[in-house]
Amino acid sequence: MSASLPVPPDADHRAPADPVLTLTGERTIPDLDIENYWFRRHEVVYQRLAPRCAGRDVLEAGCGEGYGADLIAGVARRVVAVDYDEAAVAHVRSRYPRVEAIQANLADLPLPDASVDVVVNFQVIEHLWDQAQFVAECARVLRPSGLLLVSTPNRVTFSPGRDTPINPFHTRELNAAELTQLLAEAGFARVSISGLFHGPRLVEMDARHGGSIIDAQIARAVADAPWAPELRADVAAVATDDFDLVDAGDRDIDESLDLIAIAVRP
């Protein structure tokens, strides 16, 4: 899955009046230059997996700002987006009118049994206290042969050598084996794992910023220090094409930045 898949053309479907979400560190927000690296790192997974949602009824469980749900709405038959945060739901309803936004707890999804074809859960499961209950809920609302699409930071590289996550908003991070086991224990079949990696241009940026453009950004944030113009320019220039999505069999999955799982409900 390292090659790009076709994606819907860019379009602006946003309403003019829009409750603005603040940048908290818990969710990624588009259109901010200092947030652009993380936004593109998340957006690329939506782009690459959106074709699997084409013509289908889709639930995004944990939609955050809503840009991903709107991207999927460009190809899906219907997109329902659920988030626990009331402000996020109000924002999605205002900014992305083709997405049906609902406020609810992901441990108790407000959908009937076997009501959707795809559940999308990108960069969310690491925030949940009861991951097993959530995955069981995904299995419940999916139709037979439905897909669960999950992305999450790879614990091995995101919080190396730690028992607890570095990010204070994360409750439990997973490695590839743990993510696979979690999905299999919920009854999902044919679980495939891919990894997200820096492509050549980001590798060059890593070298320019002391070996890691990620660490360079974190260091400025922790120190509350001004951004060097070179770092700000590189971060603002990151594009989705700068990331590689690679099957686990083609590269060491433990070296990946994020894990992407595709699981089938029997």
Side-chain angles (χ1 to χ4, degrees):
M1 229 196 290
S2 57
S4 297
L5 296 174
V7 298
D10 291 336
D12 191 348
H13 297 275
R14 296 174 293 187
D18 167 8
V20 176
L21 292 181
T22 57
L23 183 62
T24 64
E26 186 175 12
R27 59 177 166 245
T28 300
I29 296 177
D31 307 324
L32 294 176
D33 58 351
I34 63 171
E35 182 72 2
N36 185 58
Y37 168 85
W38 297 102
F39 172 67
R40 300 303 177 189
R41 179 166 155 177
H42 294 179
E43 183 187 35
V44 63
V45 181
Y46 284 101
Q47 288 186 347
R48 304 285 173 88
L49 297 190
R52 296 180 180 272
C53 302
R56 297 183 172 185
D57 296 325
V58 179
L59 164 67
E60 181 168 22
C63 63
E65 193 275 342
Y67 66 88
D70 187 63
L71 187 154
I72 291 169
V75 299
R77 177 168 51 203
R78 177 191 183 205
V79 176
V80 178
V82 174
D83 203 277
Y84 188 71
D85 184 74
E86 291 184 2
V89 170
H91 173 87
V92 173
R93 287 173 178 165
S94 175
R95 190 172 191 182
Y96 305 112
R98 60 182 179 176
V99 174
E100 302 172 38
I102 301 173
Q103 192 277 329
N105 192 324
L106 299 190
D108 185 17
L109 293 172
L111 275 75
D113 295 357
S115 56
V116 295
D117 304 300
V118 182
V119 175
V120 172
N121 182 249
F122 292 164
Q123 303 296 321
V124 173
I125 198 166
E126 65 275 6
H127 296 267
L128 304 182
W129 288 104
D130 193 340
Q131 295 173 345
Q133 169 63 20
F134 165 68
V135 174
E137 277 290 276
C138 293
R140 179 185 65 79
V141 302
L142 278 168
R143 295 169 180 144
S145 301
L147 298 178
L148 173 59
L149 311 179
V150 178
S151 76
T152 189
N154 179 11
R155 178 173 58 80
V156 178
T157 57
F158 202 81
S159 298
R162 291 173 59 97
D163 294 328
T164 57
I166 291 174
N167 188 317
F169 295 108
H170 293 180
T171 60
R172 180 196 177 204
E173 294 169 356
L174 303 162
N175 63 25
E178 291 163 344
L179 178 57
T180 302
Q181 181 179 3
L182 178 68
L183 299 176
E185 287 179 349
F188 283 93
R190 303 202 317 264
V191 178
S192 63
I193 301 287
S194 301
L196 193 73
F197 297 83
H198 281 178
R201 202 165 77 101
L202 272 167
V203 170
E204 292 176 1
M205 291 184 189
D206 284 331
R208 283 201 295 273
H209 299 286
S212 171
I213 193 172
I214 300 171
D215 291 346
Q217 294 175 80
I218 293 172
R220 267 71 177 179
V222 170
D224 196 21
W227 284 49
E230 297 83 2
L231 176 62
R232 182 181 287 270
D234 274 350
V235 168
V238 173
T240 55
D241 287 344
D242 293 324
F243 295 91
D244 292 337
L245 193 59
V246 184
D247 288 338
D250 297 332
R251 189 165 174 181
D252 186 354
I253 196 68
D254 286 340
E255 294 179 357
S256 66
L257 300 167
D258 295 326
L259 303 169
I260 296 90
I262 300 175
V264 181
R265 183 195 182 281

